[in-house]
Amino acid sequence: MLQHWRGQAENARTEKYSYQVRGREITGANYRESLAGLKIPKLGLPSFHDWGSLLRFLLQENLPGYYPFTAGLFPYRRAGEDPTRMFAGEGTPERTNRRFHLLAAGQPTARLSTAFDSVTLYGDDPHKRPDIYGKVGNAGVSIASLDDMKKLYSGFDLCAPTTSVSMTINGPAPMILAFFMNTAIDQQVEKHLRENNQWDAAEKKIKELLADTPPPLYTGDLPAGNGGLGLALLGVTGDQLVDAATYARIREQTLQVVRGTVQADILKEDQAQNTCIFSTEFALRMMGDIQQFFVDHKVRNFYSVSISGYHIAEAGANPISQLAFTLSNGFTIVEYYLARGMQIDEFAGNLSFFFSNGMDPEYAVIGRVARRIWARAMRERYGANERSQKLKYHIQTSGRSLHAQEIQFNDIRTTLQALYAIYDNCNSLHTNAYDEAITTPTEESVRRAVAIQLIINRELGLNFCENTLHGSFIIEELTDIVEEAVYAEFERISDRGGVLGAMDTMYQRGKIQAESMLYEQGKHDGSLPIIGVNTFLDPSSKTQTEVEAELARSSTAEKDAQVLAVEGFRKAHAEHSEELLKGLVITARDRGNTFASLIEVAKHCSLGQISNALYAVGGEYRRNM
């Protein structure tokens, strides 16, 4: 490390830098010129002269892009692509598609993050049943079929290197992911037909296939930027329009280039968020099936799971518990995949993480600690390669820190939390809108939320430097304190039989609840000051809980449209669905790869149909009491 240091330092002080990622050379400028005409370096370097201090720095910190990756995963931030990934989802697929195009307008990349309604989260189809109907399209988008997914992402080329999609789905994650992969494949089939002058013949074939059923349509006008890609194959699938060899080639090419993330983390669902639908053992098995499918088909750019601490924090956990529970869940998934016979470097690169950033001091170093612990474990415990050692993570600013009182102050808190994340070199960031304290955000509030990131990334001068926190005495001390606290929590989990053993006694849930009570008590007795909520109250306000804001809700027309759409889909595909569902049950019962089967089943079956078929094998979720 000492021998390589001089080369590292020189590369950071020349006019241009150069390094390799997956055999591709990345180059750029080492300096940015300020308005005053000064050349501002992108990286700050330590000024140590003795080898002992330098070696301690290299072993604990190092520059970004070097083991143990405390300062960041890559030598420099990705040029031309901000970490902005905004969360959206409401009403019908068409309504959310319009929001996605609004968020992506003017951006060089489309980094889409998708919220699903509770009907979808629990694996059901839209229905007139009272316990389902009222929830359709509220607090998330309603997705029940392949056609819904095609509408949702229409106009975005899912195989373009500038497109990346994240989906916040857990219990039914394998089914939603199967819809998504088929959507991406069918987009490429559509492009192939148009580019090879075969579209006229394909249109005739589509009319024949849909002759007996009303063709599904995108309701309303297409938003600006949506050229209609993905909509031409509504009601049909690509394998019905091209020969088997062509379809197989397009499918494999698509799987190898599509970018994105599916959450799929069933462990934190049991511990915190509760959207479990299958038994934990069966849900883990399907997670493993997804990853095995990714290994078999060389899916390298899509993350098979986003191991999530955000929901643990939102349920009430403090930053130490959030980080310790999340990392321990990650190591449990690693051990499970290894036990299934996969090699560490076959799957570790497909794992990603998701944390919350609140106002506590520990959040300033949550990424640094996570990267260091993961890198050391991967290298020293598992013998993994460099790609596997890199912990990639998304940050969402804290939803719990948003308050209905003095609602305009929420943007201030979100700005500070975003600053934590960007200074810590997060890989992806969502900034909450100020009105998310009470509703799905409006276009105006989302624009402000995106502006927070853009102003930090493109205007804040200190952020021109890409290792801003490096060398701070308090940041280094905080990193060590938090790391030690996480290891202590690992010991407590290990004493209870590991993550799954601790879950059996509800250890994680109990700890989260206790920490939530401590936060709420401090909030209500004033010992935890929150400006405009429990201190510095506005004397002119009649009541601190009166807020004038538009509540976003799906309309009766939108609910009815989704109910009719899924009924139409099931009727149109009735000829194929029953046989496919029987085959899926047999595959699951015989411990075959359920995801490989789902890729085919998702072409002709709805989400609710698939969930109900799998309950017969995997069982429905029941909490241990």
Side-chain angles (χ1 to χ4, degrees):
M1 295 180 87
L2 288 170
Q3 287 173 340
H4 284 102
W5 168 247
R6 181 174 292 179
Q8 286 178 242
E10 288 176 354
N11 192 45
R13 284 295 172 260
T14 56
E15 286 294 322
K16 300 282 185 180
Y17 63 78
S18 173
Y19 63 97
Q20 299 278 327
V21 174
R22 293 197 200 175
R24 185 164 52 96
E25 187 178 24
I26 307 294
T27 60
N30 265 322
Y31 298 88
R32 288 185 63 171
E33 188 171 323
S34 69
L35 285 176
L38 298 180
K39 291 172 64 176
I40 309 298
K42 286 187 177 178
L43 292 180
L45 301 180
S47 56
F48 303 125
H49 297 291
D50 65 286
W51 286 4
S53 298
L54 179 58
L55 184 59
R56 186 176 293 107
F57 166 81
L58 294 174
L59 291 170
Q60 291 286 99
E61 296 277 334
N62 217 329
L63 292 182
Y66 295 91
Y67 182 87
F69 307 107
T70 307
L73 296 184
F74 301 102
Y76 295 87
R77 294 173 185 165
R78 188 167 187 155
E81 183 171 338
D82 290 329
T84 307
R85 185 191 292 279
M86 297 304 291
F87 200 36
E90 54 186 338
T92 62
E94 292 93 334
R95 183 173 167 188
T96 300
N97 177 255
R98 294 185 184 101
R99 175 59 62 88
F100 280 152
H101 280 282
L102 173 75
L103 290 169
Q107 298 277 19
T109 56
R111 294 163 65 97
L112 314 175
S113 185
T114 314
F116 298 92
D117 67 2
S118 61
V119 178
T120 307
L121 291 174
Y122 283 98
D124 288 322
D125 287 340
H127 199 277
K128 286 287 189 180
R129 251 173 52 188
D131 61 326
I132 288 179
Y133 185 76
K135 301 171 185 173
V136 174
N138 281 333
V141 63
S142 171
I143 299 294
S145 69
L146 176 57
D147 285 341
D148 283 345
M149 191 68 80
K150 289 179 178 179
K151 296 175 194 175
L152 178 65
Y153 297 120
S154 63
F156 296 102
D157 185 348
L158 298 179
C159 286
T162 53
T163 303
S164 173
V165 171
S166 171
M167 295 179 287
T168 303
I169 195 81
N170 294 284
M175 294 85 95
I176 293 295
L177 181 59
F179 290 153
F180 176 83
M181 290 301 187
N182 275 300
T183 296
I185 293 164
D186 283 357
Q187 280 190 358
Q188 301 312 303
V189 171
E190 180 185 338
K191 289 177 65 177
H192 167 82
L193 291 169
R194 293 185 188 278
E195 290 167 1
N196 290 277
N197 299 317
Q198 298 173 15
W199 183 247
D200 290 342
E203 274 192 310
K204 291 178 183 176
K205 183 69 180 291
I206 292 170
K207 287 178 181 177
E208 291 172 12
L209 292 168
L210 299 179
D212 300 326
T213 58
L217 300 170
Y218 183 106
T219 305
D221 296 331
L222 293 178
N226 187 344
L229 177 63
L231 297 176
L233 268 62
L234 285 177
V236 300
T237 53
D239 55 348
Q240 296 173 305
L241 303 176
V242 295
D243 63 85
T246 300
Y247 183 78
R249 174 178 58 78
I250 292 172
R251 188 178 97 144
E252 291 307 299
Q253 289 174 346
T254 300
L255 292 172
Q256 290 171 22
V257 299
V258 67
R259 286 179 67 201
T261 309
V262 63
Q263 198 163 102
D265 178 6
I266 208 62
L267 298 179
K268 62 87 182 165
E269 288 299 321
D270 186 285
Q271 296 165 18
Q273 186 163 287
N274 305 321
T275 59
C276 307
I277 62 174
F278 301 115
S279 65
T280 302
E281 186 274 335
F282 186 68
L284 273 171
R285 206 178 102 198
M286 288 205 294
M287 286 175 63
D289 289 345
I290 292 173
Q291 183 56 62
Q292 185 63 61
F293 181 90
F294 279 21
V295 171
D296 294 342
H297 294 271
K298 298 180 175 61
V299 181
R300 286 171 57 87
N301 298 325
F302 205 96
Y303 297 103
S304 67
V305 57
S306 175
I307 303 157
S308 303
Y310 186 85
H311 310 92
I312 292 171
E314 288 295 286
N318 66 37
I320 300 300
S321 294
Q322 177 196 181
L323 184 52
F325 291 169
T326 307
L327 288 174
S328 60
N329 290 346
F331 290 127
T332 300
I333 291 168
V334 167
E335 291 288 346
Y336 173 62
Y337 289 179
L338 289 171
R340 285 188 51 146
M342 289 179 260
Q343 301 301 309
I344 188 71
D345 293 327
E346 288 181 327
F347 67 80
N350 289 113
L351 306 180
S352 66
F353 289 79
F354 176 21
F355 299 115
S356 169
N357 258 17
M359 302 296 285
D360 304 86
E362 295 91 342
Y363 287 116
V365 299
I366 196 169
R368 291 164 54 81
V369 175
R371 285 190 293 259
R372 185 191 289 179
I373 290 176
W374 186 260
R376 284 178 173 164
M378 285 295 111
R379 190 171 86 166
E380 306 301 336
R381 172 68 181 84
Y382 297 107
N385 65 22
E386 185 176 296
R387 181 170 183 257
S388 301
Q389 295 166 21
K390 294 179 177 180
L391 180 146
K392 297 178 182 177
Y393 72 101
H394 172 75
I395 286 284
Q396 182 171 342
T397 57
S398 171
R400 187 172 65 160
S401 70
L402 303 177
H403 303 282
Q405 303 98 314
E406 300 277 15
I407 197 169
Q408 66 275 15
F409 290 0
N410 288 335
D411 275 344
I412 302 170
R413 297 185 181 96
T414 295
T415 301
L416 297 172
Q417 293 161 11
L419 203 59
Y420 272 163
I422 292 171
Y423 277 2
D424 204 7
N425 277 330
C426 71
N427 303 102
S428 179
L429 175 63
H430 167 90
T431 36
N432 287 329
Y434 68 87
D435 55 357
E436 286 186 67
I438 54 174
T439 185
T440 302
T442 62
E443 289 188 8
E444 178 269 338
S445 66
V446 163
R447 180 173 170 78
R448 286 169 59 116
V450 174
I452 289 171
Q453 294 197 47
L454 294 177
I455 290 168
I456 293 173
N457 283 327
R458 304 187 186 191
E459 294 186 34
L460 184 64
L462 188 56
N463 195 47
F464 293 175
C465 307
E466 299 187 5
N467 60 339
T468 307
L469 302 181
H470 236 157
S472 162
F473 297 134
I474 189 58
I475 289 296
E476 290 180 2
E477 190 165 350
L478 263 177
T479 302
D480 293 341
I481 292 170
V482 171
E483 183 179 15
E484 185 57 38
V486 169
Y487 287 140
E489 185 59 52
F490 282 176
E491 292 290 344
R492 287 189 284 272
I493 293 170
S494 184
D495 290 344
R496 288 161 174 80
V499 166
L500 296 174
M503 284 165 58
D504 283 341
T505 60
M506 296 180 71
Y507 169 72
Q508 292 97 328
R509 291 184 71 86
K511 199 165 192 299
I512 290 167
Q513 288 167 4
E515 290 167 2
S516 178
M517 285 296 294
L518 183 66
Y519 171 86
E520 294 298 330
Q521 181 180 339
K523 177 179 169 182
H524 287 287
D525 66 19
S527 59
L528 178 66
I530 302 175
I531 308 304
V533 176
N534 60 16
T535 185
F536 288 96
L537 305 182
D538 183 357
S540 65
S541 177
K542 294 178 182 178
T543 159
Q544 287 295 310
T545 56
E546 283 184 1
V547 177
E548 291 184 11
E550 174 191 353
L551 297 182
R553 296 289 183 268
S554 59
S555 66
T556 300
E558 288 178 314
K559 296 181 200 299
D560 290 341
Q562 283 304 98
V563 172
L564 290 172
V566 74
E567 287 176 353
F569 181 89
R570 291 171 70 153
K571 184 178 179 181
H573 295 266
E575 181 184 346
H576 303 283
S577 58
E578 188 175 347
E579 197 64 33
L580 284 167
L581 291 170
K582 284 180 182 176
L584 174 64
V585 169
I586 292 170
T587 298
R589 186 193 65 200
D590 295 345
R591 302 191 75 84
N593 192 302
T594 55
F595 188 69
S597 180
L598 279 170
I599 288 286
E600 297 305 314
V601 174
K603 296 174 182 177
H604 300 285
C605 300
S606 71
L607 177 60
Q609 286 178 308
I610 299 170
S611 299
N612 284 296
L614 288 173
Y615 289 145
V617 182
E620 292 189 63
Y621 176 80
R622 294 289 184 272
R623 185 174 302 288
N624 288 327
M625 299 299 290

